[in-house]
Amino acid sequence: MRRTVRWLATAALTVLLISACQVDGTAQPDAAGAAAAAASSSSLSSLLSSSSLLSSSSSNSAPATRTRSSASAPNSPATIEDRSTGLGPPSADPTSTESTSGTADLDKPTVLMADDGFAVSVMVTTVWARALVAKGVKVGIRTIGETAQQITALKSGQVDLVQQYNSGLLDDLAPDSDAIGQSAVDAAIAANLPTGLSVLRSTPAKDDVQLATSPATATRFGLHSISDLGAHLGELTLLVPDDNTARSFTNGLSNYYGLTFANVRTTDFGGAQTISAIKSSSAVGLMDASQYQIDDNAFVVLADPKHLFLTENFIPLTSGTRLTAAMKATVNAVSAKLTVAALRGLRKKVATGQGTVTEVADQWLASVGLR
């Protein structure tokens, strides 16, 4: 069953966390982030089940350094940006936005959100935040790199909403769950949440790992699904990243689909080398679902009927009472409209200098009637 193969789930989560950290929309590795992900994954289950943390302070230890997007939105009158990697000691006022650097923000937010510092997370969280700003809510956004620290901050009342990936969150909540697909995964999350935490609607947009090829290669070999690769293993080249996820990925292809490629080439994960190889040769390679180059090059994403890859839809994890019913409804309305295609378009605009993350978020919200 899908989630009994824990090693593959861990590999997929690691691939997700080391990717999509550059504003150009390509996937670049972040070794420190991958190490933090591994440490976070091993400790989060106990953190979530510990009732004593409902009123605890955040960890005093410094979080691991991650490569954060240079696309972070600038300050604006109603959106307070604190891109520190930790929250520091708890304040008597849980809405205090004093940064760890000692500088105070211009105003105190009504609601505090947290992204994980990666460009795609910054984009999604900013879209949620700006929709609330349009309703007159003062929103602060902070970067908290590790999931365990995000959970601690939620439970201690230091933030009200954090951006999570639904399958990754379920793996921490209920690692033995066999839920497959967005709706089933979301339902399993809701059924396994600790007291004091809740989730809002997840987005159709996602950032899971996908296997892609060029339209020419797909047409030539009749490729629609990963299963279709079996008849052409000697003619196609499999592109794999030069890191420890490659073996898990190739083992997964063998175990789930019975596929062993004759030609395997090492490239970057979803980066310039992979994109070039897909365009110029009969190759299939790994990319993140949110990469706009998929649309720019009309790449064909191969269906995954055996669910080799985890679905990683963006889901707001919340706590406390500062998020009112009206605020939650606003966030849910945004999530309902945030598709994969829309997210790719947002990332492309930032990458090509058509606006800051805040500006691009505001433009998109206006285009869908939410601003």
Side-chain angles (χ1 to χ4, degrees):
M1 289 186 290
R2 176 68 184 91
R3 291 179 182 278
T4 58
V5 189
R6 182 62 177 173
W7 59 265
L8 186 61
T10 302
L13 177 61
T14 303
V15 167
L16 171 72
L17 288 174
I18 67 173
S19 64
C21 59
Q22 301 296 317
V23 316
D24 65 356
T26 61
Q28 298 293 338
D30 176 13
S40 176
S41 178
S42 65
S43 64
L44 186 56
S45 294
S46 60
L47 173 62
L48 285 165
S49 62
S50 174
S51 60
S52 64
L53 284 172
L54 288 173
S55 59
S56 68
S57 63
S58 61
S59 171
N60 290 325
S61 60
T65 301
R66 290 178 179 234
T67 302
R68 297 194 297 279
S69 167
S70 61
S72 299
N75 288 342
S76 66
T79 302
I80 300 163
E81 302 289 343
D82 176 3
R83 295 295 171 183
S84 60
T85 56
L87 288 173
S91 168
D93 175 7
T95 65
S96 172
T97 58
E98 184 176 356
S99 69
T100 55
S101 64
T103 60
D105 293 296
L106 297 177
D107 200 359
K108 292 182 179 179
T110 304
V111 170
L112 274 170
M113 296 184 179
D115 57 48
D116 65 16
F118 289 84
V120 68
S121 177
V122 171
M123 188 75 256
V124 171
T125 307
T126 301
V127 171
W128 286 332
R130 295 303 294 179
L132 290 179
V133 168
K135 300 289 187 180
V137 182
K138 291 186 175 69
V139 182
I141 304 175
R142 287 182 165 178
T143 291
I144 307 176
E146 296 182 36
T147 301
Q149 284 194 318
Q150 290 183 347
I151 300 299
T152 299
L154 276 173
K155 289 188 170 185
S156 63
Q158 292 182 302
V159 295
D160 308 291
L161 181 152
V162 300
Q163 179 270 306
Q164 281 284 315
Y165 307 90
N166 62 350
S167 285
L169 179 58
L170 180 59
D171 279 335
D172 289 311
L173 292 170
D176 294 329
S177 173
D178 294 317
I180 294 174
Q182 181 180 4
S183 59
V185 169
D186 289 352
I189 289 172
N192 287 280
L193 281 171
T195 301
L197 298 183
S198 61
V199 288
L200 304 182
R201 178 172 183 161
S202 64
T203 66
K206 56 184 182 175
D207 206 36
D208 50 24
V209 182
Q210 300 185 334
L211 198 58
T213 192
S214 70
T217 299
T219 299
R220 178 184 175 187
F221 296 104
L223 303 179
H224 305 281
S225 162
I226 295 176
S227 299
D228 297 332
L229 298 171
H232 308 284
L233 294 175
E235 302 167 277
L236 295 166
T237 297
L238 177 66
L239 309 174
V240 298
D242 186 18
D243 58 38
N244 58 9
T245 65
R247 178 175 295 180
S248 294
F249 169 53
T250 54
N251 286 345
L253 283 176
S254 176
N255 292 340
Y256 278 70
Y257 288 96
L259 302 179
T260 302
F261 281 77
N263 305 307
V264 179
R265 176 181 167 190
T266 298
T267 60
D268 49 9
F269 181 95
Q273 294 175 9
T274 296
I275 292 168
S276 177
I278 291 175
K279 291 169 62 177
S280 62
S281 63
S282 298
V284 293
L286 295 172
M287 297 189 72
D288 280 327
S290 73
Q291 287 185 246
Y292 66 82
Q293 289 89 347
I294 293 174
D295 288 344
D296 276 5
N297 296 287
F299 284 167
V300 176
V301 173
L302 301 182
D304 181 17
K306 297 184 182 295
H307 302 284
L308 171 63
F309 301 123
L310 296 169
T311 182
E312 293 293 0
N313 306 84
F314 302 93
I315 190 166
L317 180 62
T318 70
S319 68
T321 59
R322 286 194 293 268
L323 277 172
T324 66
M327 293 177 192
K328 292 177 181 178
T330 296
V331 173
N332 283 338
V334 173
S335 293
K337 291 182 179 291
L338 189 58
T339 63
V340 172
L343 181 57
R344 289 173 184 167
L346 291 169
R347 295 194 67 192
K348 180 177 180 177
K349 284 189 173 183
V350 174
T352 55
Q354 298 179 53
T356 65
V357 172
T358 296
E359 292 167 345
V360 168
D362 286 349
Q363 292 165 8
W364 179 77
L365 288 167
S367 74
V368 296
L370 292 175
R371 186 171 181 82

